[in-house]
Amino acid sequence: MAAALLLAGQLPIGSSQQQSELLLQQTQEARGAQLEVTGVFDLRPALAAAAGGAVLNPRQLEGVAASMEAAFRLQQTVRLPAAEGVGHNSQQPGQLEQRQDQQQR
């Protein structure tokens, strides 16, 4: 998906040095977390088809199911409530580690 954002000119780029450093820090933290995202598929074509009234074929449905299962596993790993932080960058750098430390206490 990052490649698609880049090609569309929508990849987040900091408007200041401070914002750029924040984006770099978030990227480094995400890479360092080594979260497993195996089984996540690009569902945009299937979602667009379904939104247009098409019936999804078995392979598309398997992709949706696999992606949902992967998202659930990832959620369990990170231990975030399902609605929190979905679809936007509500987390500040370091909040993930802080939240995990608090839950372990």
Side-chain angles (χ1 to χ4, degrees):
M1 272 206 241
L5 289 173
L6 179 62
L7 290 174
Q10 298 175 343
L11 193 65
I13 299 174
S15 58
S16 67
Q17 181 175 349
Q18 181 181 9
Q19 190 177 30
S20 294
E21 289 174 357
L22 175 64
L23 290 169
L24 285 171
Q25 182 179 354
Q26 289 173 340
T27 300
Q28 289 172 343
E29 288 182 9
R31 291 183 73 187
Q34 297 179 348
L35 298 173
E36 181 64 42
V37 291
T38 302
V40 176
F41 297 95
D42 184 0
L43 299 177
R44 290 175 291 180
L47 294 175
V55 176
L56 299 182
N57 64 44
R59 185 176 178 146
Q60 290 170 313
L61 291 172
E62 287 174 358
V64 171
S67 295
M68 291 177 69
E69 289 172 0
F72 179 77
R73 285 191 309 271
L74 183 60
Q75 177 189 356
Q76 296 303 309
T77 301
V78 179
R79 298 185 193 133
L80 289 176
E84 188 176 334
V86 174
H88 55 82
N89 286 333
S90 64
Q91 297 287 332
Q92 293 297 319
Q95 280 187 328
L96 176 60
E97 294 82 12
Q98 291 171 2
R99 184 179 309 274
Q100 288 175 333
D101 290 345
Q102 290 170 353
Q103 289 178 348
Q104 291 174 353
R105 292 182 191 157

